[in-house]
């Protein structure tokens, strides 16, 4: 079971995040036509099939991205958002769909170093770019204090918007390793939580900063 | 009234309960993104389904021509309302489902599922297919303005069949309490007959005329409460497929994710036994007091079956997730008041939205028994609900904002204070009855303690409305309200604890819904068993009976009482087993391969002489004689306990006895040149009885305050007046507060130990919810009433700063 | 979102050629267009979406020939942090810093912000529900509908596809528009250079005068004279993730001349010329600031639901003046 295996410890959740990253297909060997289910050996064959069989349908495109440090070569449909490709093609569900219009921040990822709303970004626009998701942050030991602080302070209730907040927090700390509470509120102001966790994020991030920047002296 | 009925209710030495900063059991899974919600599940080879949704507030599908949709490559099926497949469905015990009427032809609110479902290889192709359908809609008369809807000549919006069904529904409906009290009743046989789109729900207590005769003056005022949206963060979604059952054969087992802890509904709808429905996902998301399954969560097994067992996913969009959290309500109050500020009569004439057919009555009429009126000494109360059918939306048992009518009292106190030049705190004091009953003249200790602390935190200095400006020129206003921290116990609860191979297991099916109740329960079990929080092994398993659906932080306490009793039962059984094993029958063999075992350190002691302390089973008289808890006994020991926690509010009546109470306080600055309202201070002093898990308790307070603030200052459901179409079903135009909008909430938590939950704990979240605390403070600042949401445009308008003419 | 084809344009020429084909739409950051496509608000759905972000060389900030030149693909987040912008045109950096929400600012382009479609909730309603004038339909639903966010200076009037006169009450809420108008910027496109005052247009399905295939490449701001003062103000109901209901920019030139531009109040960004005239050459006093606020809304024709915007403009103008 998902949650049982995730358990209480950091290591278990990280192991799962790590397993999900490892399970991402680096390159699709067999390509399935998304319209009729016929299978092909490569992108070229699929394109030819579209021209012959589905001339009026929008044809798939190739996409090369680095996701959480791993190079991926995918065949996607042009209208797919980055969020959809992460979920359907790569099995990464840390970016969540809440509003699907760029109005809530739950799907935040880091694209070429910048916080980005993956529901509001076409995957086809991301060719050649590097994407970092919450799973990638979770497996990087550098960010363990941040995740620890999030869990210690209940910076979540139902947990659905939490990964989006965590990614936005990480993006903030990349740019500003010692933010003030006001900086944090501003940086997280594009993320909607209905469970009332807003003050908890500032608390958790400030504590993580103490640990990460000042070596945890005040935290000990 | 402390918890004297259960084991250790008066415990003073807490090692675990009350602690802060213990990470939640699934917090790491949630923070790292590995926790999966309904929207997250994908299965290889899955198909996608989408419902046709009604684009009007009220309309009927006359016909659908699906030929063009089916011609699109990748579009596989269009299932129409009259398809025989729907007759296979059984009813959902939570409401809905049931045979041929599953997918209606007629929709009673915008975006309701109606007419057909499309199935395709991708979500994009579903959209393409829906666009290609030729749907002939018959647009029907609608009500989105309930004032207009209440007029006798307004066209009927419900057919005779529906009206008859509702009229027959003098129901013992909704939830019944242990003693058989019925909640959420919609109509009573004594109510006047239906008139056009209006039904009545009337409750008369005491003698209103007599009450008014005792009054020195009559105060008449309106309290308008708009609708608000149940902003569930995760759009309802599910994915399902059919697998083989070891017992029943191939293709007989349903695998469904996305409807956590609603396995019974799925079983019932698909005529399956418990071993034929697999549902491992745990994470429900923030469906606070929203217990309804959406069609997207329950239809996927049917569609999968139709598609030959291929998995099918169905997910609502945000727009399709704009269900109501609260029904619109307009209260017109008449209070009889003496010159001392004592209320002698309450006449409440309320116009309220009935919602679409089948909507929950919570927040419309069923809270007539829950209000603040019963905290008053006054017993002459008449409540008349004029209930208007509407096409505004559907409410799925949601009631984050009940009880509503508390704030008719909050506003009333403010007006009495204003009229008599009294501090509203004093007005409240003069009206509140005593702890034991409405006739009890004594002060309520919890209320007095909360008042004293609240006044101190606020540096409370009340002033008449519109009389104070801050140095920066803005108007200053303050307000106060009280409520009970209710003795919740929503239903009978159940708990099972197992001592297995030296470890205590707490099996639960979840769901993980956002109030950390499993963690609270584990803490209570650890406390009673002399263990640490980490020692309780919580086993999440969908097949288990125990469920966390406790009713937010309120219900956690009543449910926690059951866990406490269960833990004590387990403890007793462990000690009995340990004593049995430490004292074998004389002459019985005890050892390994003929080598006799040394006598147990517990030998000679009976179960009564043993205790569990700090992870050891000890002889009470001589603690140096002990065995580690993990080796207390070689037997597996199981304890189960179920039932009701003592004396919940459902039994005592809301407010009729007063034990754990709370006060909320607010100070605002109103910029009368821009209409901006800034919350300067927001203090909450709840007597929660006993803190179980401090960190999440504080978060629940923040949640309910932010929710209330959003609804008073920002959130506004807008319909086009001509067509009734909703104009802002998205997270940009329907504004939920952001990190930059919410106030800092000062919380001082009291623990007077007089609730009905474990250790005298009581509920918290619901009754801090309010519709008019900030609104009352704005009135105190400006001298005018602004109906919520008090957005700048409404504030400016109320201040008379929106002149239209005179612009050269 | 329904399917479409996609092109990562490698050059302006490639993008222009593709966009001249009927049924193609240009996309930069996508914040505006993707929502419109998901909500399926257009009469005709695009066959091709052309990504402009892959065109090199359009995201620079430089000072050239007396202009501060901002590439059309500059992200608002970058503009807000750019030191050249901060020192030469601080109000531009301020406006960029307040747009939308943090993540959106990192992916919203300057060009996209200026070219966005109106936010009118009738225009944007899911599934092209209201066949409104802006889309070629017969009427503007905001006239008799809920127009609390609509124009207080009357409708845009234009000739519809069918040749009939149309009116539309939607407003322009582009975050950067007022400040660029106050700074008298020019919009450089693949075909021409357009003074910003002439850039916005409300023809059917267009919010600008751009012709099919024409792409904004740069925004040029004449370098403000030394001693120029400027400020930006916005008012929104929510403090983040929100469009301004009113926004404005003030520029005071060293010679005592003023430029005041308002957004969110009219179909296009609007100069408050009466206020500029009133202020010209005079020393600022609280009374003058108040009078300038009143002058800024001269000629307004508000409805009962949106008259509050005039009060906001008056207050914001007055306070902005007094803060300079």
């Amino acid at each position: 079971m998902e949650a049982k295996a995730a358990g209480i410890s950091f290591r278990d959740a990280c192991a799962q995040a790590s397993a999900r990253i490892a399970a991402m297909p680096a390159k699709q060997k067999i390509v399935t036509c998304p319209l009729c289910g016929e299978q092909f050996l490569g992108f070229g064959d699929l394109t030819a099939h579209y021209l012959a069989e589905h001339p009026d349908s929008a044809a798939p495109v190739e996409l090369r991205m680095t996701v959480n440090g791993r190079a991926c070569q995918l065949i996607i449909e042009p209208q797919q958002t980055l969020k959809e490709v992460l979920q359907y093609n790569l099995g990464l569900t840390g970016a969540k769909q809440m509003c699907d219009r760029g109005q809530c921040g739950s799907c935040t990822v880091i694209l070429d170093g910048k916080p980005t709303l993956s529901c509001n970004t076409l995957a086809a626009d991301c060719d050649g770019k590097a994407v970092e998701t919450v799973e990638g942050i979770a497996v990087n030991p550098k960010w363990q204090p941040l995740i620890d602080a999030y869990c210690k302070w209940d910076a979540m209730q139902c947990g659905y918007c939490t990964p989006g907040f965590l990614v936005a927090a990480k993006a903030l700390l990349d740019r500003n390793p010692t933010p003030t509470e006001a900086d944090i509120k501003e940086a997280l102001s594009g993320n909607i939580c209905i469970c009332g966790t807003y003050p908890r994020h500032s608390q958790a991030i400030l504590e993580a900063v103490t640990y990460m920047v000042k070596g945890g002296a005040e935290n000990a | 009234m402390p918890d004297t009925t259960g084991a250790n209710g008066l415990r003073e030495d807490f090692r675990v309960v009350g602690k802060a900063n213990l990470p939640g059991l699934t917090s790491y899974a949630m923070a790292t993104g590995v926790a999966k919600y309904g929207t997250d599940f994908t299965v290889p080879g899955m198909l996608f389904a989408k419902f046709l949704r009604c684009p009007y507030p009220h309309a009927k599908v006359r016909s659908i021509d699906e030929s063009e949709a089916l011609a699109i490559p990748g579009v596989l099926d269009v299932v129409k309302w009259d398809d025989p497949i729907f007759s296979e469905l059984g009813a959902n015990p939570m409401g809905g489902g049931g045979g041929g009427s599953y997918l209606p032809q007629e929709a009673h609110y915008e975006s309701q599922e109606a007419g057909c479902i499309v199935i395709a290889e991708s979500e994009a192709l579903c959209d393409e297919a829906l666009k290609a359908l030729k749907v002939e809609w018959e647009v029907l008369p609608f009500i989105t303005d309930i004032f207009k809807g209440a007029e006798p000549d307004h066209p009927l919006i419900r057919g005779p069949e529906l009206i008859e069904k509702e009229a027959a529904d003098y129901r013992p409906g909704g939830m019944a309490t242990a003693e058989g009290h019925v909640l959420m009743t919609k109509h009573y046989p004594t109510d006047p007959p239906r008139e056009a789109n209006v039904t009545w729900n009337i409750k008369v207590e005491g003698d209103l005329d007599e009450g008014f005769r005792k009054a020195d003056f009559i105060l008449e005022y309106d309290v308008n409460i708009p609708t608000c949206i149940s902003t569930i963060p995760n759009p309802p979604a599910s994915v399902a497929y059919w697998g083989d059952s070891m017992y029943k054969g191939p293709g007989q087992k349903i695998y469904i994710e996305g409807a956590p802890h609603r396995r019974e509904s799925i079983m019932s709808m698909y005529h399956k036994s418990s071993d034929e429905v697999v549902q491992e996902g745990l994470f429900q998301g923030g469906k606070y007091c929203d217990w309804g399954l959406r069609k997207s969560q329950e239809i996927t097994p049917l569609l999968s079956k139709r598609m030959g067992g291929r998995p099918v996913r169905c997910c609502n969009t945000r727009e399709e997730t704009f269900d109501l959290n609260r029904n619109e309500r307009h209260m017109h109050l008449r209070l009889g008041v003496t010159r001392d500020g004592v209320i002698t009569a309450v006449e409440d004439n309320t116009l309220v939205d009935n919602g679409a057919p089948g909507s929950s009555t919570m927040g419309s009429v069923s809270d007539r028994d829950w209000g603040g009126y019963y905290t008053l000494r006054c017993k002459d109360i008449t409540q008349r609900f004029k209930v208007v059918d509407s096409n505004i939306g559907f409410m799925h048992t949601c009631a984050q904002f009940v009880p509503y009518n508390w704030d008719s009292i909050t506003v009333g106190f403010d007006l009495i204070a204003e009229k008599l030049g009294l501090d509203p705190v004093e007005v409240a004091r003069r009206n509140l009855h005593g702890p034991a009953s409405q006739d009890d003249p004594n002060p309520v200790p919890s209320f007095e303690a909360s008042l004293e602390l609240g006044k101190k935190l606020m540096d409370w200095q009340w002033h008449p409305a519109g009389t104070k400006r801050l140095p920066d020129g803005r108007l200053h206003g303050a307000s106060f309200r009280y409520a009970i921290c209710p003795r919740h116990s929503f239903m009978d609860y159940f708990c099972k604890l197992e001592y297995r191979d030296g470890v205590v297991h707490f099996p639960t099916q979840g769901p993980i819904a956002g109030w950390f109740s499993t963690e609270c329960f584990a803490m209570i079990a650890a406390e009673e068993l002399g263990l640490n929080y980490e020692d309780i092994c919580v086993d999440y398993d969908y097949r288990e009976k125990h469920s966390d659906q406790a009713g937010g932080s309120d219900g956690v306490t009543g449910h926690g009482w059951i866990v406490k009793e269960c833990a004590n039962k387990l403890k007793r059984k462990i000690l009995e087993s340990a004593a049995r094993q430490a004292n074998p029958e004389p002459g019985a063999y005890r050892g390994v391969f003929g080598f006799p075992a040394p006598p147990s350190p517990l030998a000679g002691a009976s179960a009564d002489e043993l205790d569990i302390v700090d992870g050891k089973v000890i002889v009470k008289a001589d603690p140096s004689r002990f065995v580690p808890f993990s080796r207390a006994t070689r037997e597996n020991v199981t304890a189960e306990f179920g039932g009701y926690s003592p004396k919940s509010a459902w039994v005592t009546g809301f407010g009729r006895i007063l034990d754990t109470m709370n006060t909320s306080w607010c100070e605002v600055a109103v910029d009368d040149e821009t209409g901006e309202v800034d919350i300067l201070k927001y203090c909450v002093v709840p007597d929660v009885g006993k803190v179980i898990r401090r960190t999440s308790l504080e978060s629940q307070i923040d949640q309910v305050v932010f929710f209330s603030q959003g609804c008073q200052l920002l959130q506004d459901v807008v319909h086009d007046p001509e067509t009734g179409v909703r104009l802002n079903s998205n997270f940009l135009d329907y504004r939920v507060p952001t990190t930059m909008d919410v106030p800092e909430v000062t919380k001082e938590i009291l623990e007077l130990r007089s609730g009905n939950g474990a250790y005298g704990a009581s509920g918290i979240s619901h009754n801090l919810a309010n519709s008019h605390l900030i609104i009352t403070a704005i009135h105190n600042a400006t001298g005018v009433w602004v109906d919520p949401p008090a957005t700048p445009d409404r504030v400016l308008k109320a201040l008379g700063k929106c002149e239209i003419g005179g612009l050269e | 979102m329904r399917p479409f084809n996609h092109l990562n344009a490698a050059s302006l020429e490639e993008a222009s050629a593709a966009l001249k084909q009927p049924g193609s739409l240009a996309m930069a950051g996508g914040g505006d267009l993707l929502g419109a496509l998901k909500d399926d608000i257009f009469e005709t759905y695009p066959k091709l979406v052309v990504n402009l972000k892959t065109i090199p060389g359009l995201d620079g900030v430089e000072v050239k020939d007396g202009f501060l030149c901002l590439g059309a693909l500059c992200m608002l987040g970058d503009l807000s942090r750019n030191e050249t912008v901060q020192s030469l045109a601080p109000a531009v950096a301020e406006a960029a810093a307040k747009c939308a929400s943090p993540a959106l600012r990192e992916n919203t382009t300057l060009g996209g912000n200026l070219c966005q479609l109106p936010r009118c909730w009738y225009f944007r309603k899911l599934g092209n529900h209201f066949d409104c004038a802006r889309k070629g339909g017969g009427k503007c639903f905001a006239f008799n509908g809920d127009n609390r966010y609509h124009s207080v200076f009357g409708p845009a009037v234009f000739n519809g596809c069918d040749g009939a006169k149309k009116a539309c009450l939607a407003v322009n809420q582009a975050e950067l528009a007022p400040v660029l108008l106050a700074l008298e910027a020019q919009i450089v496109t693949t075909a021409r250079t357009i003074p910003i005052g002439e850039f916005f247009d409300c023809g059917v399905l267009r919010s600008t005068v751009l012709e099919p295939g024409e792409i904004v490449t740069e925004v040029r701001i004449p370098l403000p004279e030394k001693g120029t003062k400027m400020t930006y103000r916005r008012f929104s109901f929510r403090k983040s993730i929100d469009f301004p209901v009113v926004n404005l920019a003030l520029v005071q030139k060293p010679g005592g001349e003023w430029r005041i531009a308002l957004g969110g109040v009219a179909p296009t960004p609007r100069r408050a010329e009466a206020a500029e005239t009133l202020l010209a050459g005079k020393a600022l006093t609280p009374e003058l600031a108040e009078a300038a606020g009143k002058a800024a809304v001269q000629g307004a024709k508000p409805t009962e639901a949106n008259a509050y915007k005039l009060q906001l403009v008056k207050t914001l103008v007055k306070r902005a003046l007094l803060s300079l």
Side-chain angles (χ1 to χ4, degrees), chain A residues 164-188:
Chain A
F165 272 92
L166 204 113
V167 174
K170 191 262 182 189
L172 164 70
L173 296 176
D174 278 344
R175 180 167 301 172
N176 176 4
T178 54
T180 62
E181 192 175 345
D183 295 336
I184 294 170
K185 277 190 186 172
E186 209 282 328
L188 300 184

Side-chain angles (χ1 to χ4, degrees), chain B residues 312-330:
Chain B
V312 175
R313 176 183 195 261
C314 186
C315 179
N316 284 5
T317 63
R318 173 52 48 192
E319 174 127 4
E320 294 158 2
T321 310
F322 257 60
D323 296 304
L324 305 187
N325 184 299
R326 178 170 80 179
N327 285 339
E328 179 181 346
R329 160 182 299 210
H330 303 275

